Amino acid sequence: MSAKAISEQTGKEFLYKYICTTAVVQNRFRYANVTAATDWGQLVQDHPWLLTEVGPLIVARDQAHDDGIISKLDNDGGAGSSCAVIGVHAVSMLAWGGMYTVLTMTERLVVKPDQLIKRRGKLGLVGVDLDLQGVKEWLKPRLMKETLVGKAKGFLKNFLIEPFVPHKQEEEFYVCIYAAREGDYLLFHHEGGVDVGDVDSKAQKLLVGVNEKLHPDSIRQKLLSHAPAAKKDMLSSFLMGLFNLYEDLYFTYLEINPLVVSQDEVYVLDMAAKIDATADYLCKAKWGDVEFPPPFGREAYPEEAYIADLDAKSGASLKLTLLNPHGRIWTMVAGGGASVVYSDTICDLGGVNDLANYGEYSGAPSEQQTYDYAKTILSLMTREKHPDGKVLIIGGSIANFTNVAATFKGIVRAIRDYQVPLKEHEVTIFVRRGGPNYQEGLRVMGEVGKTTGIPIHVFGTETHMTAIVGMALGHRPIASEPRVAVHTANFLLNTSGSTSTPASSRSDTFSDARSEAGAPPARPGASAVSTAKATTLFNRHTKAIVWGMQTRAVQGMLDFDYVCSRNEPSVTAMVYPFTGDHKQKFYWGHKEILLPVYKNMSDAMKKHPEVDVLISFASLRSAYDSTMETLQYAQV
């Protein structure tokens, strides 16, 4: 799940389009969006309801006042109470022996910012009971003006205009649906509005468990016990339709406050919502091209859109969110989980106000993709100087499949391209990584620091993954001589170009129970001794053929072979009946090797008599046939 907030306009559009209820939902699609670029004439043409006439009002001008105060006429033609002039069209007329004015009343409106701001009414950010001219006047001191909301400072630049709904306090209700691990909670309170208070303690609550269905009887019994009896049927129908909408469109949060319910109609006044962005492929037809606005105080940057576009076109994962472009602490982290760990550690060590970005690259991105990602971050962090200099944390845990050397080559290219601005901005880089070919990646990273003069501190799996955060923030000294790790989980690689594993990384922990060199493998049933030996199925001399084009699995086996100090790869060849015979490139350490791929099993067995193991990745359709064919060969 990836819960992302949507604008109020988008949420109401979904509700008005797809809610199914017997309750009469009023003001459907009666909203207009206003920005600094809005053409008011065009806006009125697109939304004629903004100037809808709601009836004439005949008034007599009060001769005692020159400030626009008028006296409304009673039904018998006498003067009534005084009120302010609120119409936009006026025609003078002579009647009842005096001068009177006919005012044509137009639609009364509400205007508010639509930028994911909570408690807008409390903040004075809602204009109510205005005509269109009043809306324009209300917007003048607010549109494109910097505003402080809590601790977030940002510009008000997107507003929503809706019809004003006169109503009584007792007609306001509160509704909220949100997702939790155990299911979806439906909250209802019979007193809504800006003063609703702590709804978690006040509201009636109903849990709809995973794979459970909501029933109208449950709504009436558990949620509407305090609701007016005359409105229970309408509320029950609306809440049922709202919950079905919530499920069908994969909402994760949906709040309406207040929900106004009159005797015959329902009005959705204010709404906040989040949807599960990962359900886009399921809801594309209904969602359309939905936009996820940034939180108030954080602008949407073109660099974020650029990385999002790269992510959409790649099988890898590339994410970038700018938190504080003026910050001095920047991160380039491999892995979604690691990105959270690094960000939390930076905040724990007091760097929350200096943390500039959040993001991650993972899923085995190519060298070019990593280069594009890295240069975007380097471009952002070298746009303005910081008096204390800046730090870049290139971190990650131990990768499973990602070729660390390949991804680091992309980062190294970006560092070379930006070496001049990096030195001008006094950037210090801290690197920590592990995984396949990570030694080669760290070597290349260290060399670029020496050749460019950029201070780059490189650490492998001998250093805790978050230790570099303390070093970068000055909370601990920078380690100078990393310890040499020798266990196989580190995937240690040498840098000399030799095909053998470095002596310091060799391990004697594997079993020596194996057949003599050159002797054929023991077969079950030969003797008691032979049977005992046959239980040792694999040893350092085992040779295997892999059935299926599983290149990533084969590369993982070769990496493991290498760090276990095998002299030769355990995989001798591959069988893939859907292509012709060819060679497939792999890495043995940091050296490229070629393994043969055969179309026919017989060719593979004849050319590699030393093979005694078959590793099958065959599908359900071909597993039986391929296994029976393999068993025809006594060597396996």
Side-chain angles (χ1 to χ4, degrees), residues 169-204:
Q169 176 63 41
E170 56 266 25
E171 294 177 326
E172 291 186 349
F173 301 91
Y174 174 88
V175 179
C176 180
I177 312 173
Y178 65 89
R181 179 179 294 274
E182 59 272 21
D184 297 301
Y185 283 95
L186 182 57
L187 275 64
F188 178 84
H189 190 46
H190 62 285
E191 295 176 348
V194 295
D195 297 319
V196 66
D198 183 9
V199 291
D200 286 331
S201 61
K202 292 181 177 181
Q204 304 292 106

Side-chain angles (χ1 to χ4, degrees), residues 376-556:
T376 302
I377 292 179
L378 297 183
S379 170
L380 288 166
M381 72 179 300
T382 55
R383 291 184 182 178
E384 60 181 65
K385 294 185 177 181
H386 194 282
D388 299 326
K390 297 184 178 181
V391 295
L392 173 62
I393 297 173
I394 303 176
S397 58
I398 301 175
N400 293 320
F401 305 109
T402 300
N403 188 331
V404 176
T407 55
F408 270 21
K409 286 179 181 178
I411 298 175
V412 165
R413 283 175 53 198
I415 291 175
R416 291 188 188 279
D417 290 348
Y418 281 86
Q419 58 181 296
V420 174
L422 286 173
K423 288 187 284 189
E424 290 177 351
H425 289 76
E426 300 179 17
V427 175
T428 303
I429 301 176
F430 292 83
V431 183
R432 191 275 184 189
R433 194 70 166 108
N437 291 337
Y438 88 96
Q439 285 277 39
E440 176 66 11
L442 296 182
R443 181 188 68 80
V444 173
M445 192 69 72
E447 286 182 355
V448 74
K450 295 177 182 178
T451 57
T452 61
I454 300 171
I456 300 179
H457 304 282
V458 179
F459 303 91
T461 53
E462 77 288 338
T463 303
H464 190 276
M465 64 179 290
T466 58
I468 61 173
V469 177
M471 299 178 196
L473 272 59
H475 292 285
R476 62 187 299 173
I478 301 174
S480 56
E481 293 292 335
R483 301 188 309 273
V484 177
V486 297
H487 50 84
T488 60
N490 289 313
F491 290 93
L492 295 178
L493 301 180
N494 64 0
T495 60
S496 65
S498 171
T499 59
S500 61
T501 310
S504 59
S505 69
R506 294 185 181 274
S507 171
D508 293 327
T509 59
F510 42 72
S511 173
D512 287 327
R514 63 184 184 272
S515 57
E516 294 297 323
R523 305 292 298 180
S527 66
V529 176
S530 298
T531 303
K533 290 185 176 181
T535 58
T536 305
L537 297 179
F538 312 106
N539 55 56
R540 68 173 68 188
H541 303 292
T542 297
K543 296 286 187 177
I545 289 177
V546 173
W547 198 104
M549 189 55 68
Q550 297 293 328
T551 56
R552 180 168 290 186
V554 171
Q555 184 61 65

Side-chain angles (χ1 to χ4, degrees), residues 249-269:
L249 270 67
Y250 285 80
F251 282 87
T252 61
Y253 183 86
L254 200 164
E255 180 187 54
I256 301 175
N257 182 39
L259 173 71
V260 172
V261 181
S262 64
Q263 289 299 116
D264 305 310
E265 300 167 332
V266 174
Y267 299 86
V268 178
L269 296 196

Side-chain angles (χ1 to χ4, degrees), residues 25 31 43 49-50 87 104 127 154 193 217 222 229 258 279-280 297 349 352 363 380 412 433 442 595 619:
V25 181
Y31 45 74
L43 187 72
W49 56 268
L50 292 170
T104 304
D217 291 342
K222 297 184 179 181
D280 179 71
L349 295 180
V352 61
L380 288 166
V412 165
R433 194 70 166 108
L442 296 182
L595 292 184
S619 66

